[in-house]
Amino acid sequence: MDLISWITQMVDGSFITIKLFFIVILFSLPLGLCITFFYTSKNIIIRKITGAYILIMRGTPLLLQLFFVFFGLPYIPFIGKYLTFDRFPAGAIAFIFNYAAYYAEIFRGGLLSIDKGQYEAAKVLGLSKWQTTYKIILPQMFRVSLPAISNEVIILVKDTALVTAIGLTDLLQVTKTIVNRTSNIVPFIVAAVFYLIMSYILTLIFKKLEEIFAF
Amino acid sequence: MDMINVKNLKKSFGSLKVLKDINFDVKKGDIIAAIGPSGSGKSTMLRSLINLEKADYGDIIIEGKYLCKKGIYAKEKDAKQICSKMGMVFQHFNLFPHMNIRKNLITAPLLQKKDSKAKINELCSEMLNKVGLYDKINEMPSNLSGGQKQRVAIARALMLNPDIMLFDEPTSALDPELTQEVLNVIKDISKDNMTVIIVTHEIGFAKEIANKIMFMDNGYIIDFGNPHEILDNNKNERIKSFIEKVM
Ligand SMILES: Nc1ncnc2c1ncn2[C@@H]1O[C@H](COP(=O)(O)OP(=O)(O)O)[C@@H](O)[C@H]1O
Ligand SMILES: [Mg+2]
């Protein structure tokens, strides 16, 4: 196996890792926000269901959830055949639902940190509930949540490597294969550097965001 | 027509009766200072007027319109309309920390489409000049002193052109050297044909600007009237000892 071919394979693998990362971010953040709203709903049944969801997602291994979606769902009687996913979508689904639960908890913490005086000021200034939510509450909630979100996003970069376990040819899977074939440790180091750079760039981006939205 | 009428207002938090039987009228241009011991229900009374607390019983009439009749409230939309004649300033300012001073002022009038954006911005400059803070227009609230924050909060309330201004201990959270700048702004406003109710412990200030004093104790208004009568040589022991204590 020559140098060029293993480099191209690792580039392909990192693209899959990056694609997975962005798709998970794109869907899990809004989903997390929705879950926060359900979790703070006035309806106790909705609250309980949401609470159970968050408990399951955070209380069981992500790897198990990954196996559950990819290997497990197809075995469900009758509907299993409609729940059979390719490796990439299966990985994305498991990650999205798992990370959404974490983001929901972070956003909820952000909501709780907002003083009730903010709601009262908005009310006496004649803002509607919806205007209060999107002009006053959400911006503050996001700002307060940023450091914790940043932390979670960087964990995601590294967690994406778990999809290796369902045979998706992400960066780690490809690297492992190359190491086996070439009996050479360098690809592991290259992969480590890749993850490190990605984490570092995200750290910088979030630092910048925290500065921009500082108050 | 009176600006505000309150009749038989009652309010409890759980089993704690906070407002027991509150009755008073406010005429146009009245400057009313509400004083009394901590926990006597002053804030709850003030907050009930602007629908931040729901009364259990009684009437609240704002400029002739019932916000609440025998404890039954107007529909949310009507209540909002009725309360739009009032502005409120809080002890802890409650500025929006993620918006600069200009945005703090213009957001509500813009959302309510009170006027064109240009007009609203013009009004914003005018109001900030009025409270002496035009040079802070692009600052964030966290860069302001407490006194400046409170002046911004007052300017923000004035943006909506209220007929009635409610102040709940506007200087209680401030260092003593910063209270005067806020009191001066309130004094200015009270000369502008505005109707004002201010909860305060600044007895000297109350005497200076108010034409009526409301003394609350234990959920009742136990005296209401001329500042001179209430503050100087009051016969009532409770009132007398309170005034001696805070003076
Ligand atoms: N939201 C609330 N829940 C429970 N008790 C309250 C609440 N708000 C005020 N109280 C109680 O009601 C009483 C009157 O409070 P308040 O109107 O704030 O008095 P004041 O402004 O005169 O100090 C106090 O005993 C206070 O603890
Ligand atoms: Mg109070």
Side-chain angles (χ1 to χ4, degrees):
Chain A
M1 200 180 196
D2 61 65
L3 191 66
I4 301 290
S5 110
W6 74 255
I7 287 178
T8 43
Q9 280 185 41
M10 284 187 73
V11 169
D12 290 347
S14 26
F15 272 121
I16 289 183
T17 294
I18 291 174
K19 198 168 102 185
L20 182 65
F21 171 80
F22 279 109
I23 286 179
V24 172
I25 290 287
L26 194 68
F27 287 96
S28 60
L29 279 173
L31 182 61
L33 189 59
C34 296
I35 294 168
T36 304
F37 285 132
F38 290 141
Y39 206 21
T40 52
S41 145
K42 288 205 175 69
N43 185 320
I44 183 152
I45 297 171
I46 293 179
R47 262 196 339 256
K48 288 263 186 241
I49 293 173
T50 317
Y53 170 82
I54 291 176
L55 182 68
I56 292 168
M57 286 298 155
R58 300 204 311 168
T60 61
L62 176 52
L63 191 55
L64 187 151
Q65 294 165 22
L66 208 54
F67 286 165
F68 186 87
V69 173
F70 184 65
F71 299 117
L73 290 183
Y75 292 134
I76 297 178
F78 309 115
I79 55 168
K81 59 175 175 285
Y82 303 108
L83 294 173
T84 306
F85 300 105
D86 283 342
R87 293 171 206 283
F88 187 89
I93 288 168
F95 271 89
I96 288 166
F97 282 95
N98 178 278
Y99 269 77
Y102 282 92
Y103 292 140
E105 277 296 81
I106 292 171
F107 287 144
R108 193 170 68 92
L111 271 188
L112 288 175
S113 78
I114 297 172
D115 188 74
K116 86 178 204 306
Q118 293 290 305
Y119 296 89
E120 295 184 348
K123 185 171 179 194
V124 301
L125 289 168
L127 271 60
S128 68
K129 289 235 164 66
W130 169 240
Q131 288 168 340
T132 305
T133 302
Y134 85 90
K135 284 283 185 190
I136 310 300
I137 303 306
L138 287 187
Q140 294 187 53
M141 184 201 77
F142 281 123
R143 176 60 189 86
V144 174
S145 306
L146 258 183
I149 294 283
S150 155
N151 204 26
E152 215 49 59
V153 164
I154 286 162
I155 294 175
L156 173 62
V157 173
K158 299 173 290 171
D159 267 1
T160 54
L162 286 172
V163 292
T164 298
I166 56 168
L168 188 62
T169 51
D170 74 317
L171 178 60
L172 184 63
Q173 170 87 341
V174 170
T175 307
K176 200 181 77 184
T177 314
I178 296 169
V179 169
N180 281 342
R181 289 217 198 118
T182 58
S183 311
N184 176 357
I185 196 178
V186 176
F188 274 149
I189 295 167
V190 173
V193 169
F194 170 86
Y195 286 113
L196 207 57
I197 290 175
M198 206 162 148
S199 307
Y200 184 61
I201 292 173
L202 286 163
T203 308
L204 292 184
I205 290 174
F206 274 95
K207 273 235 176 73
K208 196 78 210 158
L209 284 175
E210 282 178 37
E211 267 168 42
I212 292 172
F213 295 111
F215 55 68
Chain B
M1 186 185 69
D2 289 341
M3 296 304 274
I4 300 175
N5 309 98
V6 174
K7 287 179 205 154
N8 307 117
L9 190 67
K10 290 178 188 146
K11 163 85 186 165
S12 301
F13 289 111
S15 62
L16 181 70
K17 292 190 174 115
V18 175
L19 300 179
K20 290 171 184 166
D21 186 14
I22 299 289
N23 296 274
F24 64 95
D25 302 316
V26 180
K27 307 245 176 309
K28 192 167 170 52
D30 270 351
I31 310 294
I32 296 175
I35 61 177
S38 170
S40 57
K42 305 179 299 293
S43 296
T44 308
M45 176 276 295
L46 204 64
R47 291 160 56 82
S48 301
L49 299 179
I50 198 161
N51 204 13
L52 287 177
E53 301 289 355
K54 290 266 187 272
D56 302 327
Y57 186 79
D59 300 344
I60 301 170
I61 307 166
I62 308 295
E63 298 188 55
K65 297 202 180 85
Y66 278 91
L67 171 64
C68 170
K69 192 173 195 172
K70 294 211 156 68
I72 297 168
Y73 272 79
K75 285 199 231 74
E76 193 162 340
K77 202 165 133 263
D78 299 329
K80 195 172 158 182
Q81 180 63 34
I82 292 166
C83 291
S84 69
K85 305 282 183 208
M86 288 180 285
M88 177 150 184
V89 172
F90 301 88
Q91 184 176 351
H92 295 288
F93 333 124
N94 297 346
L95 294 182
F96 303 132
H98 59 300
M99 295 179 175
N100 66 17
I101 302 310
R102 190 176 68 86
K103 289 246 170 69
N104 261 280
L105 266 68
I106 66 173
T107 296
L110 273 182
L111 286 173
Q112 291 164 34
K113 302 197 173 60
K114 281 241 162 198
D115 214 331
S116 69
K117 191 165 182 180
K119 281 268 170 57
I120 288 171
N121 272 311
E122 213 172 282
L123 186 66
C124 169
S125 306
E126 190 188 316
M127 287 304 153
L128 285 176
N129 269 319
K130 193 184 177 93
V131 299
L133 289 171
Y134 181 72
D135 58 322
K136 303 290 184 198
I137 188 161
N138 291 318
E139 292 285 348
M140 296 303 272
S142 57
N143 296 331
L144 268 53
S145 72
Q148 292 171 332
K149 282 182 196 164
Q150 195 58 299
R151 282 145 70 196
V152 169
I154 294 170
R156 181 174 71 175
L158 293 176
M159 288 293 288
L160 297 167
N161 193 26
D163 298 335
I164 303 165
M165 280 288 283
L166 310 176
F167 294 88
D168 191 2
E169 299 200 30
T171 60
S172 294
L174 300 178
D175 293 334
E177 71 270 20
L178 299 178
T179 56
Q180 201 53 47
E181 63 186 61
V182 174
L183 295 180
N184 286 341
V185 168
I186 297 173
K187 198 156 92 186
D188 277 351
I189 294 167
S190 64
K191 288 178 191 148
D192 291 351
N193 199 25
M194 181 80 76
T195 303
V196 174
I197 306 181
I198 176 169
V199 175
T200 182
H201 292 299
E202 305 277 339
I203 302 286
F205 177 70
K207 213 162 159 179
E208 188 183 342
I209 68 157
N211 67 330
K212 283 175 195 160
I213 303 280
M214 173 189 291
F215 193 99
M216 286 189 70
D217 190 23
N218 192 23
Y220 295 102
I221 296 175
I222 59 171
D223 210 342
F224 187 55
N226 182 304
H228 175 69
E229 281 166 21
I230 292 179
L231 298 174
D232 305 327
N233 310 315
N234 201 307
K235 302 259 178 338
N236 184 310
E237 279 305 319
R238 295 263 322 158
I239 301 179
K240 209 164 136 185
S241 76
F242 175 80
I243 291 166
E244 272 162 14
K245 227 178 345 181
V246 296
M247 275 299 246

